[in-house]
Amino acid sequence: MRTGIFLSYAGGFLDAVDEVVEFEQLGVDIALVAEAYSYDAISQLGFLAARTSRIELGTGVVPIYTRTPALMAMTAAGLDYVSDGRFRLGLGTSGPQVVEGFHGLPFDAPLGRTREVVEICRQVWRRERLSYDGKHYQLPLPAERGTGLGKPLKLINHPVRERIPITIAALGPKNVELTAEIAEGWQPVFFYPEKAGEVWGDALRAGAARRDAALGPLDVMVSASLAIGDDVDDRLAWAKPQLALYIGGMGARGKNFYHALATRYGFGEVADHIQDLYLAGNKAEAIDAVPDELVRQVSLVGPRGFVKERLAAFTEAGVTTMLVHPLSGDRRESVTYVEELQNLLP
């Protein structure tokens, strides 16, 4: 199992970079930078590329709607260049709240657009003349929709690699099936290992049946909060605000992917309660309503023996990369947690 660090997208980035340098020295394999409605991930990854030399770097994730497919490919090729072939492109759809609310773009056809973005990116990296006739993207733009002056172009630069690894963040069955078919990696959220097969097993198998062998095995990249020790139960509360935000506040009733996931895990009544509180503006109460049990199952928080057992459960569920977020306000403690994790890996 590989280990990785998931950087927060809310403040403290320069301090986090210093931590990543230390984590690289510990042998951590990958660092991901998220992008929501925060600083963009790309400029931060360029800075990280300059400060590191071995650790893999990636987006975790960028929404497919906010950049054209060609720009997505150009950006990935640029980051792969400045990092000397250490970049991984993490893609996702995000959700209507971010795409429509913050960017003013329609949140439509997530499956179709994801497939086409991936296909166009790989065409750009192969330096083919960009000619694509998809349902959602046509390159060049057809004459009846533009000036008719466009012609197929290819990337001027020669990318470091013609196949940059792509990871897709996916939760719903159809999205997960698509990911298992076309991507090098899959990034689920709030991964409950004992429930994973029940929730995603059929979709993963269906996608794998159509998977090109050249992609290699699917890298299952799971994020989890981290705190190791005999007296870290208080850190469970540190992980609850994010769970409450996603389960309760990301999207409207009936259109919240994370609420649906918690329900599939068997926490439907709790998820409804959290959502009721959050949407009513009672955020503190919504956070308090997140059960310790849910946090424990999707995190690595507890004594060494417990964390070792949870790592074994994640491994049994097919996880190949563990992306952790140390629950600490102290840099030395965060590094210690990650060092402990390295020693506990199966």
Side-chain angles (χ1 to χ4, degrees):
M1 179 185 284
R2 300 196 310 161
T3 55
I5 295 295
F6 213 120
L7 276 67
S8 171
Y9 45 68
F13 177 74
L14 293 178
D15 291 335
V17 170
D18 292 334
E19 286 187 1
V20 170
V21 171
E22 289 196 60
F23 293 142
E24 181 179 54
Q25 294 168 355
L26 289 177
V28 171
D29 297 287
I30 185 170
L32 295 187
V33 178
E35 183 173 285
Y37 39 101
S38 53
Y39 290 145
D40 74 290
I42 307 308
S43 58
Q44 298 179 69
L45 283 162
F47 187 74
L48 271 171
R51 292 287 307 276
T52 58
S53 59
R54 181 200 60 79
I55 195 168
E56 189 178 8
L57 303 172
T59 50
V61 297
V62 292
I64 60 169
Y65 297 94
T66 58
R67 296 166 176 82
T68 67
L71 177 58
M72 192 80 77
M74 293 163 60
T75 301
L79 283 171
D80 206 43
Y81 174 74
V82 298
S83 66
D84 196 22
R86 291 185 288 132
F87 179 67
R88 170 182 288 259
L89 177 60
L91 300 173
T93 60
S94 188
Q97 191 169 32
V98 173
V99 174
E100 296 185 354
F102 191 71
H103 292 283
L105 298 169
F107 183 85
D108 66 345
L111 286 172
R113 287 187 183 277
T114 298
R115 182 184 290 276
E116 293 188 13
V117 167
V118 170
E119 290 175 351
I120 292 168
C121 281
R122 288 175 175 159
Q123 192 174 343
V124 171
W125 298 332
R126 292 192 299 265
R127 295 193 74 240
E128 298 174 2
R129 292 199 178 274
L130 196 51
S131 179
Y132 190 86
D133 186 22
K135 181 177 180 180
H136 308 287
Y137 301 102
Q138 294 84 41
L139 302 165
L141 194 66
E144 63 269 19
R145 292 176 52 199
T147 63
L149 298 177
K151 64 179 182 178
L153 300 173
K154 64 181 178 180
L155 190 68
I156 293 173
N157 312 86
H158 289 258
V160 175
R161 296 177 290 175
E162 70 170 26
R163 175 59 72 85
I164 296 171
I166 291 176
T167 296
I168 298 176
L171 293 180
K174 291 298 183 183
N175 305 65
V176 172
E177 183 177 334
L178 176 69
T179 300
E181 177 190 350
I182 68 172
E184 280 88 355
W186 171 43
Q187 191 180 318
V189 70
F190 308 142
F191 190 90
Y192 188 156
E194 289 82 359
K195 302 279 189 180
E198 175 186 340
V199 172
W200 291 304
D202 289 344
L204 288 169
R205 285 186 288 270
R210 298 190 300 274
R211 184 177 180 82
D212 184 346
L215 290 171
L218 185 68
D219 188 2
V220 181
M221 306 175 67
V222 169
S223 56
S225 297
L226 174 70
I228 303 175
D230 294 329
D231 56 352
V232 296
D233 271 6
D234 63 309
R235 305 300 169 89
L236 293 172
W238 293 33
K240 291 184 179 183
Q242 185 188 37
L243 279 161
L245 168 63
Y246 278 70
I247 294 171
M250 283 293 188
R253 296 184 195 280
K255 293 184 178 181
N256 182 320
F257 311 130
Y258 312 99
H259 178 282
L261 178 60
T263 300
R264 297 176 76 188
Y265 282 163
F267 291 89
E269 290 186 11
V270 172
D272 287 343
H273 183 50
I274 292 170
Q275 188 176 63
D276 288 342
L277 291 169
Y278 211 99
L279 295 181
N282 301 319
K283 295 182 181 180
E285 293 179 42
I287 292 169
D288 289 340
V290 176
D292 286 355
E293 179 189 359
L294 177 57
V295 181
R296 285 189 194 281
Q297 300 305 328
V298 301
S299 303
L300 295 170
V301 178
R304 287 173 56 90
F306 175 79
V307 171
K308 188 171 184 176
E309 291 175 1
R310 297 310 296 154
L311 283 170
F314 281 106
T315 301
E316 179 68 21
V319 176
T320 50
T321 300
M322 203 81 222
L323 305 165
V324 296
H325 173 64
L327 297 175
S328 177
D330 179 78
R331 179 171 156 187
R332 289 305 331 150
E333 187 177 53
S334 294
V335 172
T336 298
Y337 286 160
V338 174
E339 193 168 17
E340 289 271 3
L341 177 70
Q342 297 281 78
N343 294 330
L344 292 174
L345 288 176

